Amino acid sequence: MRLDEKYSSLPAEEKGIHIINIRAIEDIGYVRTESTLLNSFSQDPDASCKYGLYFRDGKRKVDYILVYHYKKTSFSRTLTRRIHFNDLAPRSIKQDQQLPGKGGQVNMEDGEHHMDYHEDDKRFRREEYESNLMQAGLELERDEDTKIHGLGFVKIHAPWNVLCREAEFMKLKMPTKKVYQIHQPHGLLKKINSVVQKITEPIQPKVAEHKHQTVKRLSYPFSREKQHLFDLSDRESFFDSKTRSTIVYEVLKRTTCTKAKYSMGKGEGRKKETTLLNKRRKCDDKYGITSLLANGVYSAAYPLHDGDYDGEHVEPNDRKLLCDEWASYGVFYKYQPIDLVRKYFGEKIGLYFAWLGVYTQMLIPASVVGIIVFLYGCATVNENIPSMEMCNQRNNITMCPLCDKTCSYWKLSSACATARASHLFDNPATVFFSVFMALWAATFMEHWKRKQMRLNYRWDLTGFEEEEEAVKDHPRAEYEAKVLKKSLRKEYKNKEKGHQLPEEAANKWRQRVKRVMAGVKLTEKEKLTWKDRFPAYFTNLVSIIFMIGLTFAIVFGVIIYRISTAAALAISSSPAGRSNIRVTVTATAVIINLVVIIILDEVYGCIARWLTEIEVPKTDKSFEERLIFKAFLLKFVNAYTPIFYVAFFKGRFVGRPGDYVYIFHSLRMEECAPGGCLMELCIQLSIIMLGKQLIQNNLFEIGIPKMKKLIRYLRLKRQRPVDHEEHMKKKQRYEVDYNLEPFAGLTPEYMEMIIQFGFVTLFVASFPLAPLFALLNNIIEIRLDAKKFVTELRRPVAVRAKDIGIWYNILRGVGKLAVIINAFVISFTSDFIPRLVYLYMYSESGTMHGFVNHTLSYFNVSDFQEGTAPNEAMELGYPVQICRYKDYREPPWSENKYEIAKDFWAVLAARLAFVIVFQNLVMFMSDFVDWIIPDIPKDISQQIHKEKVLMVEVFMKEEQGKLQLLETWRDKDKKKGENCNNHSPRSSMSHRGSVSSCHSCHVEV
């Protein structure tokens, strides 16, 4: 409550106004206008302000909203109010004004008007901060008569002079009056473009911003001195709602709160608490809206949506247009209206959806090729000689037991289904597809860079580096708080040392003034060094190592589960259970891995944010990059560790019959199937990829918001009938937006797509259908994210950006890593290299006949270790003396029995040679694609150069006009001077008149 606050209409239940309360308002100093009582009997004014989109006068648009919690005392319950600030011009507010209900002329009991001192402290901070906002030129209007009890809203409007001033400070590029023709293709290209436009017309969104433009306005950083360059015929629409909210947010961040005074009352305990609050305020109160939100002074701050998006009588607005043409599953086949998305949400969010659209489009050719590779495997499965040999029961190959004691000997033909299924993904076309996907990743990155440059040109983001550097160097509130605490601590130590020496009173007074008035100056000299951050860095290192170790431990636990479950199922008396051991164990283990991955994803995201916060990065950009790096590292390890185990470690350290490797001296390491681990890798990859997409996308992004809405509805039904009727009335726009979820940033959205990009590229050799499933998911993901941004989230503050930031570097890193991993998957996980070696070195007929027999070694069952031989040796119906196992070892009748054979080293050399050749060849081809495709399209570079030339011409014409105007004035001045000199004096009086006339001429010039 303040001296200059002004009241408007009262709610319906308060129309019976008591004279005592009106008298109380006058006594405590509130200004009572004549319209106060008249407005109390007027109609609901919500329609005139378009239900919260404008101030109560219906003229000034609401650009930003601040929300705070307050506790109603008996006085405030009697007088529910709407308070208006800055009806005409900004006014200063006295901070020492006595609060209503605290002494003064209003006599109430302490229990009625007493408020918690923490609430009073927050209220004083709000009063000072809002006063500073008004001194900065913003206009405020407060509304505490809302349908959400206990919440107050401060509506903020930026007048024209503030918009112009801040646009000049922020160097916002605005369209000028100058219009020029965009370069259009000629000849054959023009005909091709026209045909393509006609074909794609049905899939184009019906949005004005998406139509093909032939002309473009020249843009220039806004300047108040050069307003004549800009088209200011319609000042209301010159700065759109996105730009207005961005400008107001910059003012909110820059405006500080440092001088709030506070009176706590009597009592020693109250004084101690006051001292603590004042000490905390020294470190907190000098910051803008971010610090006030963190300290609970305000509970929320957000710009408003443009209006409703559904209903019969909804006025047309950009939000409704986005909902109809973008955020709807019925338009999944259409292009995105990226320009309208950028106009409404800003460049940063626009770039995310543009990148997601390009990524989804590029998945189409990758999906087609993946389907072709899969169909090739299906078509050639009956012609695959190794799988036919495994399925041929006449070969009568007896395999060694898969576990000790409980497992018996088994026929190789029982793995026929696994061998045939492995060929679907392990065939020569897989190698081609791996090369194709590596080149696809390079082409995708180049295509995105070109698309990004086109968007930069269309959105007037060329030459944005200087502005980005200025924003990047702006320190965060938490960083300055840390620096200020360090400065105060150092000053306190210096003060303690200074007590030992005599000091003059004037010098003491000077130091006291410096401490009180120059809090910002203290932070300018100090900065956080590595010594200050060493505890945070050490905590980060230990925590990240611990969490990576936790992930490895969980994977190791799943391995133990697989081994023990396989042994338990082998004891089963059911033949069906024993025959499906491998499939059952693999499927259940993958599901366990999926559940653990999803849970740890959420945990690691929270831990990564906490670790970044304790580091106290200096700038928002540095904070975001460090957070992204930690979250990506932890989630990458979490998602891919089980897959890496199956691809590169399973079956590598098993040992051999009679000399197996054991875990805890009792559990034998698991082996790959006779057809290799590639099929199991495919199962692992597909279940984890599809499970993450279905559960995280559908359950988390669709189900949780629906559940929250259901909970709010159930809470509403439990309320009293009066409250329910009150709630069902049409709310103000800021009340509706407050109930929406706050915007949490783009990091989760990018992270989800980057992890998917890893599934598509890293292990694509084992799962050619991964691009297809990613494409189907992304078609839904685009509309799901769009619907979330338009209907379920508060409108985020528009942020200017010219690229996707650190995510581009992560994408490039994943693309390079994919080449190496696919080389190792083809070489070591699949049987592609052993087949080539056998075909060209050992095959007598030049075919693959005999390959299976060549890869199996012999073992004499009499060489089993004591206690490891199978209990049921006669399960196959005949005594077994020699069993086979997959490895390259000498037979038992050799001199060096069971030693590694020469074939193993030949295959290993071929595998390593393939990795080196494949990696270097594909890297070279990727770099060649990167080099041959220019980053900036030729037509865009020409248009940018043309803009610079046109801007120079505009200023040259302006300077020429000024020179011509000056020359015209000079010519007039000379003519008037000559007329004055040639005038003949007829008398002394006339002579004096001529002089005065001549003098007046010069004055006029």
Side-chain angles (χ1 to χ4, degrees), residues 944-984:
I944 294 173
H945 178 70
K946 184 178 180 179
E947 279 196 350
K948 294 180 180 179
V949 173
L950 288 175
M951 186 56 66
V952 172
E953 290 179 359
V954 168
F955 286 117
M956 290 298 293
K957 288 180 180 180
E958 185 181 2
E959 292 297 324
Q960 291 175 2
K962 289 180 180 179
L963 290 175
Q964 290 177 0
L965 185 60
L966 287 175
E967 289 177 358
T968 304
W969 285 351
R970 287 174 183 172
D971 292 342
K972 289 182 180 180
D973 186 22
K974 289 180 180 179
K975 290 179 180 179
K976 290 181 180 180
E978 290 175 358
N979 291 336
C980 292
N981 294 331
N982 295 334
H983 183 70
S984 57

Side-chain angles (χ1 to χ4, degrees), residues 67-285:
V67 188
Y68 60 91
H69 288 275
Y70 70 92
K71 293 182 179 179
K72 287 188 176 182
T73 60
S74 59
F75 177 76
S76 61
R77 290 191 196 99
T78 305
L79 184 63
T80 310
R81 70 274 190 200
R82 277 193 170 102
I83 305 167
H84 298 257
F85 301 109
N86 249 11
D87 286 347
L88 298 175
R91 298 190 297 269
S92 62
I93 297 177
K94 297 181 180 180
Q95 300 299 325
D96 294 329
Q97 189 69 30
Q98 194 172 15
L99 293 174
K102 277 187 177 287
Q105 300 177 9
V106 183
N107 297 323
M108 297 182 182
E109 294 182 2
D110 293 339
E112 293 181 356
H113 65 264
H114 170 66
M115 295 178 67
D116 186 37
Y117 59 89
H118 288 291
E119 296 297 325
D120 286 346
D121 179 62
K122 292 179 181 178
R123 184 158 54 86
F124 265 101
R125 294 208 227 181
R126 287 196 297 267
E127 289 175 355
E128 183 197 349
Y129 183 68
E130 291 162 13
S131 173
N132 294 339
L133 290 179
M134 289 190 291
Q135 291 176 7
L138 299 179
E139 298 179 2
L140 311 182
E141 182 179 85
R142 179 179 291 174
D143 184 5
E144 291 184 356
D145 180 20
T146 63
K147 298 175 179 62
I148 305 176
H149 298 294
L151 281 183
F153 296 86
V154 178
K155 295 174 277 187
I156 302 177
H157 169 76
W160 174 256
N161 60 331
V162 175
L163 293 173
C164 294
R165 181 191 70 205
E166 297 298 325
E168 184 175 352
F169 291 165
M170 297 169 64
K171 300 179 181 179
L172 294 180
K173 278 191 173 182
M174 305 301 295
T176 62
K177 298 176 183 178
K178 179 68 175 177
V179 179
Y180 68 95
Q181 290 286 334
I182 299 177
H183 175 73
Q184 300 294 330
H186 300 285
L188 182 61
L189 285 177
K190 183 178 181 180
K191 294 180 180 179
I192 294 175
N193 286 342
S194 62
V195 171
V196 171
Q197 288 178 7
K198 289 180 181 179
I199 294 175
T200 59
E201 186 176 357
I203 60 176
Q204 300 290 345
K206 298 177 181 179
V207 175
E209 286 79 2
H210 196 77
K211 293 180 180 179
H212 182 68
Q213 302 292 335
T214 57
V215 296
K216 186 177 184 293
R217 287 187 176 273
L218 194 63
S219 296
Y220 184 74
F222 187 82
S223 173
R224 287 172 290 180
E225 295 180 355
K226 299 185 181 297
Q227 289 192 25
H228 57 277
L229 295 177
F230 305 94
D231 185 10
L232 302 179
S233 57
D234 186 7
R235 291 190 173 186
E236 293 297 325
S237 61
F238 183 73
F239 294 104
D240 56 13
S241 58
K242 177 251 310 180
T243 307
R244 296 175 70 99
S245 63
T246 303
I247 289 174
V248 173
Y249 183 66
E250 288 297 321
V251 178
L252 293 176
K253 287 197 302 183
R254 192 175 64 240
T255 304
T256 57
C257 176
T258 56
K259 303 176 184 178
K261 296 181 181 179
Y262 186 71
S263 176
M264 295 297 299
K266 299 179 180 180
E268 293 297 328
R270 189 70 61 82
K271 289 181 180 179
K272 292 180 180 179
E273 290 167 345
T274 307
T275 305
L276 292 175
L277 282 172
N278 289 335
K279 287 182 178 179
R280 186 181 65 184
R281 192 182 300 118
K282 284 182 180 180
C283 297
D284 291 341
D285 277 4

Side-chain angles (χ1 to χ4, degrees), residues 464-474 621:
F464 182 62
E465 290 83 5
E466 297 83 3
E467 304 162 33
E468 197 174 19
E469 288 295 326
V471 174
K472 184 175 68 174
D473 293 336
H474 185 73
K621 186 177 181 64

